[in-house]
Amino acid sequence: MLWLDGVSHRGPEVEPFIRSLLGRPERFVLYIAGAGFDPRASHLALIVSKTPARRKGIFLRENRPEPEQELLDRAQANEDSLRKAFPDSEVIPIEIFDKDYAVVGGHRVVTELRRRLRDENGLEGITDVIVDMSAMSIGISFPIVGLLFELLRTCTDGPNLHVVAAAGGPEVETAIVAEHAENYQNPWGFKGARSPGDTPVRLWIPQLANPKKGAFGILFEELDPAETCPVFPFPAREPRSVELLLEQFGDELSRSWGVDPRQMLYAAEDDPLDLYRTLTRIHVSRKDVYDLLGQPSETVLSPIGSKALAIGALLAAMEHALPVAYVEARRFEVPPAGFNENVDPDRFVHVWVLGEVYPHPNSGSP
């Protein structure tokens, strides 16, 4: 496992770590984040802005059809806050859909960042690249981290790569209401490594989340997996988290998906590396068995719940070239009860993906 002994920080450890890492003026950070309506958009960026390190920012504004005015106003306020924190910054608008409603956001963001970072030497002098997934969709954040991982893992003297998120927890993440597209998508760069003509025995590992219940129905129907192993957050702050999800997904688990209790997976709610290790063990063990049988197999991840656990799925997908399946949000709506503005520092997450803390920095083997 690349990140078996990965460096990560959670909760109250994150802010002191950032201040320590960027506590010297010779550090130069490139901060990449979403500039949308999400209440979590600027909290970690403000911490970075208060350090002595030099800094510049690239902020992504995800645009979808027919946005509500309140969402536009909130996004503009977050953009203004990010620009103030990072005077040397650029906001890049990203259209998530084309005129025919095809999902193109991932391809567009990769094109924009590849030009700036590789073709125009945008990483020159940078000591640390931090990708803040707090206010990015999977269709944008996964391609960005995947691109940076490929660019930096072969650079012997390249910058460190970090992923952070203000995870928010279910009380924040379940407040965001989405109208989903009609089909599932793979984020750019996360279609997996299947050979043409393969008919693999497919294992689907969805990370359950109540507000996106409709998206799981689309995923199951279109993926048609042979096996399903859902992920439940445990341990979790809410003692009844697993019980509530069992109630909400009871019909799917027992009937549609045919899940045996022994197939249920558990991962610590705010620990990306816990889920990463679980996914890696399952995928490797399963692949070894099917390879002996001469039968292709496939492990498909759907990390559409917690931001913290999505980071764990991202690491497993990058290491093993696993396909990721999700359903893109066509538009967002203002929650009936309004947004939950409670961004709890105890739910901050950091993972050091590549760099100087590992025996072979940026060599593709942390």
Side-chain angles (χ1 to χ4, degrees), residues 67-98:
E68 296 185 17
Q69 187 58 48
E70 181 178 339
L71 299 183
L72 292 175
D73 293 342
R74 295 178 66 90
Q76 188 59 55
N78 284 333
E79 179 183 322
D80 292 344
S81 178
L82 289 166
R83 284 185 179 273
K84 184 177 180 180
F86 287 75
D88 180 9
S89 63
E90 177 184 13
V91 176
I92 306 173
I94 302 294
E95 298 297 329
I96 301 301
F97 296 91
D98 67 11

Side-chain angles (χ1 to χ4, degrees), residues 2-23:
L2 292 183
W3 294 280
L4 177 62
D5 298 311
V7 176
S8 68
H9 301 84
R10 292 182 286 156
E13 302 172 339
V14 173
E15 182 171 348
F17 165 76
I18 291 175
R19 293 186 182 280
S20 174
L21 175 74
L22 305 178

Side-chain angles (χ1 to χ4, degrees), residues 70-134:
E70 181 178 339
L71 299 183
L72 292 175
D73 293 342
R74 295 178 66 90
Q76 188 59 55
N78 284 333
E79 179 183 322
D80 292 344
S81 178
L82 289 166
R83 284 185 179 273
K84 184 177 180 180
F86 287 75
D88 180 9
S89 63
E90 177 184 13
V91 176
I92 306 173
I94 302 294
E95 298 297 329
I96 301 301
F97 296 91
D98 67 11
K99 63 181 181 180
D100 297 319
Y101 283 94
V103 178
V104 295
H107 179 264
R108 287 178 174 173
V109 76
V110 166
T111 300
E112 295 286 348
L113 288 182
R114 183 185 284 121
R115 177 171 63 82
R116 288 166 173 79
L117 302 183
R118 187 189 66 182
D119 301 342
E120 299 176 2
N121 296 319
L123 294 173
E124 186 174 359
I126 297 294
T127 61
D128 297 271
V129 179
I130 300 177
V131 180
D132 184 349
M133 291 175 53
S134 305

Side-chain angles (χ1 to χ4, degrees), residues 107-179:
H107 179 264
R108 287 178 174 173
V109 76
V110 166
T111 300
E112 295 286 348
L113 288 182
R114 183 185 284 121
R115 177 171 63 82
R116 288 166 173 79
L117 302 183
R118 187 189 66 182
D119 301 342
E120 299 176 2
N121 296 319
L123 294 173
E124 186 174 359
I126 297 294
T127 61
D128 297 271
V129 179
I130 300 177
V131 180
D132 184 349
M133 291 175 53
S134 305
M136 291 184 194
S137 66
I138 287 176
I140 296 298
S141 61
F142 275 45
I144 290 173
V145 179
L147 171 67
L148 288 165
F149 184 69
E150 291 306 317
L151 288 178
L152 299 179
R153 69 183 303 186
T154 56
C155 298
T156 55
D157 59 348
N160 300 300
L161 175 59
H162 309 265
V163 174
V164 299
E171 63 274 11
V172 173
E173 290 166 345
T174 60
I176 298 174
V177 180
E179 175 188 312

